[in-house]
Amino acid sequence: DDFSNAWYQPHCYRPAVHHPGTGKSSEFCFVGTGYESRVEFFEKVDFTGINTRLAGNWQGLDDDSPLRPFLIQNAEECLDNATTADLYRGTEVSANLYRREANDPSLEQGWAIGPREVELAACGTFFLRDPRPESDEVLGMLPAFTEPGEFTDLLRYWLPLPDQREQLAGKAREAIADRTFTAAATRLLA
């Protein structure tokens, strides 16, 4: 395939919605769809003693799942971007966990940063990353995980370190500062 005429447009954020804030109401919060791969992953994480919130569409979650007590709204609800950004700003630690469901197994591993990573960084939220090449390049200052045990260890390590988390979250915010929709439109028109 010849991609010489292709142009990569990274995911963007809206500064009026995605910006830092104050006041924490949870220690860990994840917003996203409860795909089977995410449910399987998070059910293996030890959230014991951690004020945890899950939000988004989790309708596939079994009634007896250990994750069910963490749902903060009806499992079938989706959240708008403003509410999602409020939840990002209101947590000590969040995460980006890519789904593994794809139409073809070769499509399970992506390259690009997804929209949630950009929005989390724009909100000044410290988060643990599911690694991808672009994320490693742009947001490599934030810790990456590969399996639930490592995730648990990283979550417990970083929770009692607010100053260090804030410093790294600030660097992540700086790294995506130019990824606004206005900047993207300017680049496209140029």
Side-chain angles (χ1 to χ4, degrees):
D1 291 327
D2 178 17
F3 295 107
S4 60
N5 290 325
W7 179 69
Y8 172 63
Q9 172 57 54
H11 286 290
C12 301
Y13 68 96
R14 292 176 24 212
V17 174
H18 305 104
H19 54 80
T22 59
K24 306 297 182 194
S25 57
S26 66
E27 291 176 299
F28 176 76
C29 181
F30 178 84
V31 180
T33 299
Y35 291 106
E36 186 176 328
S37 60
R38 287 179 176 160
V39 169
E40 182 180 329
F41 185 94
F42 282 133
E43 283 183 344
K44 294 177 183 173
V45 172
D46 180 7
F47 289 111
T48 304
I50 298 172
N51 178 356
T52 300
R53 293 175 152 197
L54 295 177
N57 185 334
W58 289 79
Q59 62 185 329
L61 199 61
D62 291 338
D63 289 341
D64 62 347
S65 171
L67 302 177
R68 189 153 291 279
F70 304 137
L71 293 179
I72 62 170
Q73 96 277 353
N74 183 311
E76 289 81 27
E77 279 185 74
C78 290
L79 299 180
D80 61 39
N81 276 336
T83 303
T84 298
D86 286 342
L87 289 169
Y88 290 161
R89 285 187 287 273
T91 194
E92 301 288 341
V93 178
S94 190
N96 183 67
L97 178 61
Y98 289 105
R99 63 180 167 161
R100 301 298 184 242
E101 293 74 12
N103 293 337
D104 183 282
S106 67
L107 301 174
E108 290 177 8
Q109 296 298 319
W111 173 85
I113 291 175
R116 295 295 178 226
E117 280 185 280
V118 174
E119 293 169 358
L120 282 161
C123 288
T125 303
F126 177 86
F127 63 98
L128 306 176
R129 300 179 305 109
D130 188 357
R132 277 191 172 180
E134 185 185 23
S135 178
D136 293 343
E137 181 182 315
V138 177
L139 298 171
M141 74 287 294
L142 296 173
F145 60 87
T146 57
E147 51 86 23
E150 182 181 24
F151 182 95
T152 300
D153 292 344
L154 287 169
L155 179 58
R156 291 187 183 282
Y157 174 83
W158 286 101
L159 274 172
L161 301 172
D163 294 338
Q164 293 89 335
R165 287 195 324 264
E166 185 177 337
Q167 181 181 20
L168 293 177
K171 288 180 180 181
R173 184 164 162 37
E174 289 173 19
I176 56 87
D178 67 336
R179 293 190 179 208
T180 65
F181 286 105
T182 300
T186 301
R187 283 191 299 270
L188 180 63
L189 293 173

Short mmCIF file of all heavy atoms in Angstrom, two decimals, residues 7-10 12-13 177-190:
data_model
loop_
_atom_site.label_atom_id
_atom_site.label_comp_id
_atom_site.label_asym_id
_atom_site.label_seq_id
_atom_site.Cartn_x
_atom_site.Cartn_y
_atom_site.Cartn_z
N TRP A 7 -1.95 11.52 5.88
CA TRP A 7 -1.50 12.44 6.92
C TRP A 7 -2.11 12.00 8.23
O TRP A 7 -3.33 11.78 8.31
CB TRP A 7 -1.93 13.87 6.56
CG TRP A 7 -1.54 14.90 7.54
CD1 TRP A 7 -0.27 15.32 7.82
CD2 TRP A 7 -2.40 15.66 8.39
NE1 TRP A 7 -0.30 16.30 8.79
CE2 TRP A 7 -1.61 16.53 9.15
CE3 TRP A 7 -3.78 15.69 8.57
CZ2 TRP A 7 -2.14 17.40 10.08
CZ3 TRP A 7 -4.31 16.56 9.49
CH2 TRP A 7 -3.48 17.40 10.23
N TYR A 8 -1.29 11.84 9.25
CA TYR A 8 -1.78 11.38 10.54
C TYR A 8 -2.29 12.55 11.37
O TYR A 8 -1.57 13.52 11.61
CB TYR A 8 -0.65 10.66 11.30
CG TYR A 8 -1.01 10.31 12.72
CD1 TYR A 8 -2.05 9.43 12.99
CD2 TYR A 8 -0.34 10.87 13.79
CE1 TYR A 8 -2.41 9.11 14.29
CE2 TYR A 8 -0.67 10.55 15.09
CZ TYR A 8 -1.71 9.67 15.33
OH TYR A 8 -2.06 9.36 16.62
N GLN A 9 -3.53 12.45 11.82
CA GLN A 9 -4.12 13.45 12.70
C GLN A 9 -4.31 12.82 14.06
O GLN A 9 -5.15 11.95 14.23
CB GLN A 9 -5.47 13.93 12.15
CG GLN A 9 -6.24 14.83 13.09
CD GLN A 9 -5.47 16.07 13.50
OE1 GLN A 9 -5.01 16.81 12.68
NE2 GLN A 9 -5.30 16.26 14.79
N PRO A 10 -3.52 13.22 15.06
CA PRO A 10 -3.68 12.63 16.39
C PRO A 10 -5.00 13.04 17.04
O PRO A 10 -5.62 14.03 16.65
CB PRO A 10 -2.49 13.17 17.17
CG PRO A 10 -2.02 14.36 16.43
CD PRO A 10 -2.46 14.22 15.01
N CYS A 12 -7.52 14.62 19.71
CA CYS A 12 -7.47 15.97 20.26
C CYS A 12 -8.37 16.10 21.49
O CYS A 12 -9.13 15.20 21.80
CB CYS A 12 -7.93 16.98 19.21
SG CYS A 12 -6.93 16.95 17.71
N TYR A 13 -8.28 17.26 22.12
CA TYR A 13 -9.13 17.55 23.28
C TYR A 13 -9.64 18.98 23.19
O TYR A 13 -9.14 19.79 22.40
CB TYR A 13 -8.35 17.35 24.59
CG TYR A 13 -7.25 18.37 24.83
CD1 TYR A 13 -7.47 19.49 25.62
CD2 TYR A 13 -5.98 18.20 24.27
CE1 TYR A 13 -6.47 20.42 25.84
CE2 TYR A 13 -4.98 19.13 24.48
CZ TYR A 13 -5.23 20.24 25.27
OH TYR A 13 -4.23 21.17 25.47
N ALA A 177 -0.12 19.33 24.87
CA ALA A 177 -0.70 20.69 24.87
C ALA A 177 -1.12 21.16 23.48
O ALA A 177 -2.11 21.89 23.34
CB ALA A 177 0.29 21.68 25.48
N ASP A 178 -0.44 20.72 22.45
CA ASP A 178 -0.76 21.18 21.09
C ASP A 178 -1.83 20.32 20.41
O ASP A 178 -2.15 20.53 19.25
CB ASP A 178 0.50 21.20 20.23
CG ASP A 178 1.05 19.81 19.97
OD1 ASP A 178 0.79 18.89 20.76
OD2 ASP A 178 1.78 19.65 18.96
N ARG A 179 -2.42 19.40 21.12
CA ARG A 179 -3.39 18.48 20.52
C ARG A 179 -4.84 18.95 20.73
O ARG A 179 -5.73 18.15 20.95
CB ARG A 179 -3.19 17.07 21.05
CG ARG A 179 -1.87 16.49 20.59
CD ARG A 179 -1.75 15.03 20.90
NE ARG A 179 -0.48 14.53 20.39
CZ ARG A 179 -0.29 13.29 20.02
NH1 ARG A 179 -1.27 12.41 20.11
NH2 ARG A 179 0.89 12.90 19.59
N THR A 180 -5.05 20.24 20.63
CA THR A 180 -6.41 20.76 20.72
C THR A 180 -7.06 20.66 19.33
O THR A 180 -6.38 20.55 18.31
CB THR A 180 -6.42 22.23 21.16
OG1 THR A 180 -5.79 23.01 20.14
CG2 THR A 180 -5.71 22.41 22.49
N PHE A 181 -8.39 20.73 19.29
CA PHE A 181 -9.09 20.69 18.02
C PHE A 181 -8.76 21.92 17.17
O PHE A 181 -8.63 21.83 15.96
CB PHE A 181 -10.60 20.55 18.22
CG PHE A 181 -11.00 19.17 18.66
CD1 PHE A 181 -11.35 18.94 19.98
CD2 PHE A 181 -11.00 18.12 17.79
CE1 PHE A 181 -11.71 17.66 20.41
CE2 PHE A 181 -11.34 16.84 18.19
CZ PHE A 181 -11.71 16.61 19.51
N THR A 182 -8.60 23.07 17.81
CA THR A 182 -8.25 24.28 17.07
C THR A 182 -6.87 24.14 16.43
O THR A 182 -6.69 24.48 15.25
CB THR A 182 -8.27 25.51 18.02
OG1 THR A 182 -9.59 25.63 18.57
CG2 THR A 182 -7.90 26.78 17.28
N ALA A 183 -5.91 23.63 17.16
CA ALA A 183 -4.56 23.42 16.60
C ALA A 183 -4.60 22.41 15.47
O ALA A 183 -3.91 22.57 14.45
CB ALA A 183 -3.60 22.97 17.70
N ALA A 184 -5.43 21.37 15.61
CA ALA A 184 -5.54 20.37 14.56
C ALA A 184 -6.12 20.97 13.28
O ALA A 184 -5.65 20.69 12.17
CB ALA A 184 -6.40 19.21 15.03
N ALA A 185 -7.14 21.81 13.42
CA ALA A 185 -7.74 22.45 12.26
C ALA A 185 -6.74 23.38 11.59
O ALA A 185 -6.66 23.44 10.36
CB ALA A 185 -8.99 23.23 12.68
N THR A 186 -5.95 24.09 12.39
CA THR A 186 -4.92 24.99 11.84
C THR A 186 -3.89 24.18 11.03
O THR A 186 -3.51 24.58 9.94
CB THR A 186 -4.23 25.77 12.97
OG1 THR A 186 -5.24 26.52 13.66
CG2 THR A 186 -3.17 26.70 12.44
N ARG A 187 -3.45 23.05 11.60
CA ARG A 187 -2.49 22.19 10.87
C ARG A 187 -3.09 21.67 9.58
O ARG A 187 -2.43 21.64 8.54
CB ARG A 187 -2.06 21.01 11.76
CG ARG A 187 -1.07 21.37 12.83
CD ARG A 187 -0.47 20.14 13.52
NE ARG A 187 -1.45 19.31 14.18
CZ ARG A 187 -1.83 19.45 15.45
NH1 ARG A 187 -1.29 20.40 16.18
NH2 ARG A 187 -2.73 18.65 15.98
N LEU A 188 -4.35 21.26 9.64
CA LEU A 188 -5.00 20.72 8.44
C LEU A 188 -5.12 21.78 7.36
O LEU A 188 -4.84 21.51 6.18
CB LEU A 188 -6.39 20.18 8.81
CG LEU A 188 -7.21 19.57 7.68
CD1 LEU A 188 -6.50 18.36 7.11
CD2 LEU A 188 -8.60 19.20 8.18
N LEU A 189 -5.50 22.99 7.73
CA LEU A 189 -5.65 24.06 6.76
C LEU A 189 -4.32 24.52 6.18
O LEU A 189 -4.25 25.01 5.06
CB LEU A 189 -6.39 25.24 7.37
CG LEU A 189 -7.86 24.97 7.72
CD1 LEU A 189 -8.46 26.13 8.48
CD2 LEU A 189 -8.66 24.68 6.44
N ALA A 190 -3.25 24.34 6.95
CA ALA A 190 -1.91 24.72 6.46
C ALA A 190 -1.47 23.76 5.38
O ALA A 190 -0.67 24.05 4.54
CB ALA A 190 -0.91 24.73 7.61
#
